[in-house]
């Protein structure tokens, strides 16, 4: 009998040992030198989900590759029903990995985190739901190499920044050119996460810290959420990480110079994943491990940071959810919303920073001055962190926008983001506010597949507009209000206009033959006193104009009924 018991115990020990051995990650097997490939990560999660009922792996939609995007769900009690999570008011933490697959720290850290949670080695509170994207940019992950991250210390091989279309997916959250972005946005609105974490590796200055944290800029987030983020949430994360042995700092937003004298907070517009999350009142963060630290240390720091988010989010669950609800209600009611922000250099926080002395010395290559960080001369000091931004442009909120039919690509983006849209049922005439595009700057080369516009100026007029059956009405009293306004207002930095989606309205479609219009123009000036006075004023004020017959003809044409009303007319009208 005793022999049978001992045999059973031996078999049990062997089974547990094999079980654990089966779930050792590529990262662990390599001693912290290697990162899992896309296929290894997906196979690993399938194996984990097959052994533990509190983990599931779910294909959720298309990407620009052959492979679908997956999400991994974990709950302590094994309840993997989203409706139940909502009813029970659990905190949903969405973790995104591999948006830049050359920065794979989160990919490997998440594999170990979910395994340890499933096995009970890590205690995840019942009120926490983990939703993890194992690899977001699959095309980039498949384009594996060892050299494209020239400044990075490991791993041995990694993915590439561009996706299958060579798009940087962390610039795609407004334009949504990539299928994987569209899929993730569907998931985002299905989950409505309370906390969103996007795992990255930084590429800035050299310093001692292994990890920095980029939080959504609190002034831009605004409301009760912005205050709670700045005053409590972020500092609680920093304190918890300190208790785990990690002295972290706010994201070091420094390029081409040393951070000795402090730096401004990065303010992410909605093209970025975290900036997009903030539009929908989600607390959003970007983990930035330091590129020059060993891969093993970076993964460990990322793992611990996710533990800190789990702990603090669980403890602050009521505050997180209450501030989100209140801000949503207030935004729906808001009569005015900000569109753009500028740094306030008169205000700053002080942060503890562990750096290296930086100086310029002759380059061994060119003999010209180059920036050099001396790691034999570390320092620790308080530096200013400029983390306040002021509203530089705001706008009154209309009751609704009317979008002319034909712009279905815009409507598709709206609907993907949960925006309620209806179509006009019959032709009508309305008094509406109409924008005309006066001026703008455009990039000289493509940026993420677009020629981006900036410094947009407009003329706003009230006009009687023919609204046709089939045009679109987008009311603003809905929870996606910030998204609606920051995409449809043409002067917003990441508006659909900025990305070139309305460029067709900038081209004049009708013109004139000068030999015909000369006689018409003469008669117009003769018969129209207002036009005649404007024409004469221009002749007196501008000698170049007075000596340019073609310019004079064009001036008369553009101030006549013959000039097309729709040239540079923005096709999104405001119902005030």
């Amino acid at each position: 009998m005793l022999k049978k018991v001992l045999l059973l115990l031996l078999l049990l020990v062997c089974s547990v040992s094999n079980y654990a051995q089966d779930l050792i990650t590529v990262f662990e097997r390599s001693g912290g030198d290697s990162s899992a490939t896309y296929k290894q990560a997906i196979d690993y999660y399938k194996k984990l989900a097959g052994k533990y009922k509190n983990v599931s792996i779910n294909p959720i939609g298309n990407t620009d590759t052959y492979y679908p995007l997956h999400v991994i769900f974990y709950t302590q009690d094994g309840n993997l029903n989203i409706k139940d999570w909502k009813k029970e008011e659990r905190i949903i933490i969405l973790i995104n990995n591999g948006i830049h697959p050359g920065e794979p720290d989160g990919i490997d850290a998440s594999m170990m985190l979910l395994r340890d949670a499933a096995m009970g080695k890590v205690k995840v509170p019942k009120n926490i739901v983990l939703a993890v994207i194992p690899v977001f940019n699959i095309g980039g992950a498949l384009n594996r190499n060892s050299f494209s991250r020239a400044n990075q210390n490991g791993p041995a091989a990694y993915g590439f920044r561009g996706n299958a279309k060579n798009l940087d997916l962390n610039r795609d959250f407004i334009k949504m050119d990539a299928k994987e972005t569209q899929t993730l946005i569907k998931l985002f609105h299905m989950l409505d996460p309370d906390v969103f974490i996007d795992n990255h590796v930084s590429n800035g200055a050299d310093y001692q810290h292994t990890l920095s944290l980029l939080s959504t800029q609190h002034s831009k987030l605004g409301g009760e959420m912005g205050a709670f983020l700045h005053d409590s949430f972020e500092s609680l994360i920093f304190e918890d990480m300190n208790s785990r042995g990690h002295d972290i700092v706010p994201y070091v937003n420094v390029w081409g110079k040393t951070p000795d004298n402090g730096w401004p907070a990065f303010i992410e517009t909605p093209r970025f994943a975290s900036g997009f999350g903030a539009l929908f009142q989600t607390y959003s963060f970007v983990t930035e491990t330091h590129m020059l630290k060993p891969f093993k240390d970076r993964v460990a720091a990322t793992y611990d940071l996710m533990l800190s988010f789990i702990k603090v989010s669980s403890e602050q669950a009521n505050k997180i959810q209450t501030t989100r609800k209140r801000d949503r209600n207030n935004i729906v009611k808001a009569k005015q919303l900000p569109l753009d922000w500028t740094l306030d250099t008169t205000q700053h926080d002080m942060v503890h920073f562990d750096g290296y002395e930086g100086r310029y010395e002759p380059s061994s290559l060119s003999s010209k001055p180059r920036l050099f960080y001396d790691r034999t001369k570390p320092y620790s000091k308080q530096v200013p962190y400029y983390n306040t931004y002021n509203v530089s442009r705001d706008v009154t909120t209309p009751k609704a926008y009317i979008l002319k039919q034909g712009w279905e690509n815009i409507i598709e983006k709206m609907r993907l983001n949960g925006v309620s849209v209806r179509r006009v049922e019959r032709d009508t005439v309305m008094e509406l506010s109409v924008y005309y595009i006066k001026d703008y700057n455009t990039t000289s080369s493509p940026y993420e597949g677009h020629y981006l516009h900036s410094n947009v100026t407009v003329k706003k007029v009230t006009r009687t507009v023919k609204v046709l059956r089939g045009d679109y009405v987008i009311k603003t009293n809905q929870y996606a209000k910030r998204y609606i306004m920051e995409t449809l207002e043409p002067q917003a930095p990441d508006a659909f206009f900025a990305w070139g989606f309305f460029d067709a309205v900038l081209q004049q479609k009708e013109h004139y033959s000068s030999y015909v219009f000369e006689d018409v123009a003469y008669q117009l000036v003769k018969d129209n006193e207002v036009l005649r006075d404007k024409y004469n004023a221009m002749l007196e004020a501008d000698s170049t104009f007075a000596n340019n017959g073609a310019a004079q003809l064009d001036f008369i044409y553009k101030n006549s009924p013959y000039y097309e009303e729709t040239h540079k007319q923005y096709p999104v009208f405001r119902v005030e």
Side-chain angles (χ1 to χ4, degrees), residues 221-440:
L221 183 60
E224 294 188 31
M225 290 182 67
F228 175 62
L229 176 67
H230 180 255
D231 299 339
S232 299
F233 198 171
E234 190 178 54
S235 59
L236 289 170
I237 295 294
F238 278 55
E239 290 169 12
D240 189 75
M241 281 295 283
N242 190 265
S243 72
R244 298 176 192 274
H246 301 281
D247 184 14
I248 70 173
V249 289
Y251 174 63
V252 184
N253 185 28
V254 172
W255 304 92
K257 61 180 182 179
T258 66
D260 304 31
N261 298 315
W263 58 87
F266 181 79
I267 184 163
E268 76 287 58
T269 58
R271 73 186 66 172
F272 301 100
S274 55
F276 169 82
L279 289 182
F280 296 94
Q281 295 76 57
T282 289
Y283 286 100
S284 300
F285 303 87
V286 177
T287 300
E288 295 277 5
T289 56
H290 191 264
M291 60 191 175
L292 296 178
K293 301 301 183 288
F295 181 55
K296 184 177 182 179
D297 296 346
R298 301 194 327 250
V299 172
T302 303
Y303 179 101
D304 284 347
L305 183 60
M306 290 189 288
L307 290 181
S308 289
F309 271 109
I310 290 168
K311 180 177 183 293
V312 173
S313 298
S314 175
E315 293 171 349
Q316 299 295 319
N318 182 63
K319 189 70 173 179
I320 289 170
Q321 292 182 331
T322 299
T323 51
R324 292 190 73 210
K325 289 175 183 176
R326 286 177 179 167
D327 277 8
R328 279 189 174 173
N329 290 335
N330 290 336
I331 286 170
V332 169
K333 299 173 186 175
K335 302 297 183 184
Q336 199 160 14
L337 284 177
L339 292 180
D340 207 356
W341 295 259
T342 54
L343 181 68
D344 186 341
T345 57
T346 68
Q347 299 187 58
H348 63 264
D349 301 329
M350 296 300 292
V351 298
H352 176 82
F353 181 65
D354 296 331
Y356 297 114
E357 184 179 300
R359 62 178 181 270
Y360 284 87
E361 58 181 39
S363 164
S364 301
L365 182 66
S366 66
S367 300
K368 303 299 182 182
R370 51 73 54 106
L371 179 60
F372 172 78
Y373 287 96
D374 191 343
R375 292 192 175 185
T376 68
K377 295 182 178 180
Y379 66 81
S380 296
K381 66 178 182 180
Q382 296 289 112
V383 298
Y385 176 52
Y386 296 90
N387 192 22
T388 299
Y389 280 77
N390 297 324
V391 175
S392 59
R393 174 174 284 116
D394 57 13
V395 65
T396 55
T397 60
K399 295 177 181 177
Y401 292 96
I402 293 180
L403 173 64
K404 298 298 287 183
Q405 56 195 284
W407 303 96
E408 279 76 16
N409 59 331
I410 300 299
I411 294 302
E412 181 183 1
K413 296 177 196 302
M414 287 277 160
R415 285 176 170 152
L416 277 171
N417 281 282
V419 176
S420 176
V421 178
R422 71 171 180 85
R423 303 199 80 163
V424 175
E425 296 180 356
R426 62 180 181 273
D427 295 354
T428 187
V429 174
M430 298 179 67
E431 288 288 313
L432 300 173
S433 292
V434 182
Y435 287 125
Y436 284 87
I437 306 299
K438 290 178 62 180
D439 199 10
Y440 54 92

Side-chain angles (χ1 to χ4, degrees), residues 2-16:
L2 181 60
K3 287 183 179 181
K4 288 183 178 180
V5 172
L6 290 173
L7 181 60
L8 286 171
L9 287 172
L10 180 62
L11 289 171
L12 180 61
V13 169
C14 290
S15 174
V16 171

Side-chain angles (χ1 to χ4, degrees), residues 470-520:
D471 289 345
Y472 298 96
V473 178
I474 304 165
K475 292 186 176 180
T476 58
N477 62 341
Q478 48 185 308
Y479 97 103
K481 188 172 187 174
R482 280 193 70 169
Y483 173 83
I484 293 168
M485 296 199 60
E486 291 193 41
T487 55
L488 294 185
E489 284 293 328
Q491 292 183 289
D494 266 346
F496 290 136
F497 179 81
W499 286 101
F501 288 113
F502 292 116
D503 276 5
V505 305
L506 301 176
Q507 183 181 10
Q508 188 175 337
K509 292 297 185 289
E510 301 283 5
H511 212 260
Y512 57 86
S513 294
S514 57
Y515 77 93
V516 176
F517 194 65
E518 280 279 357
D519 297 330
V520 176

Side-chain angles (χ1 to χ4, degrees), residues 560-576:
S560 78
Y562 295 97
Y563 178 56
E564 64 199 69
E565 186 181 85
T566 55
H567 182 215
K568 293 189 177 181
Q569 183 187 83
Y570 189 58
V572 184
F573 308 132
R574 291 169 51 104
V575 182
E576 304 291 358

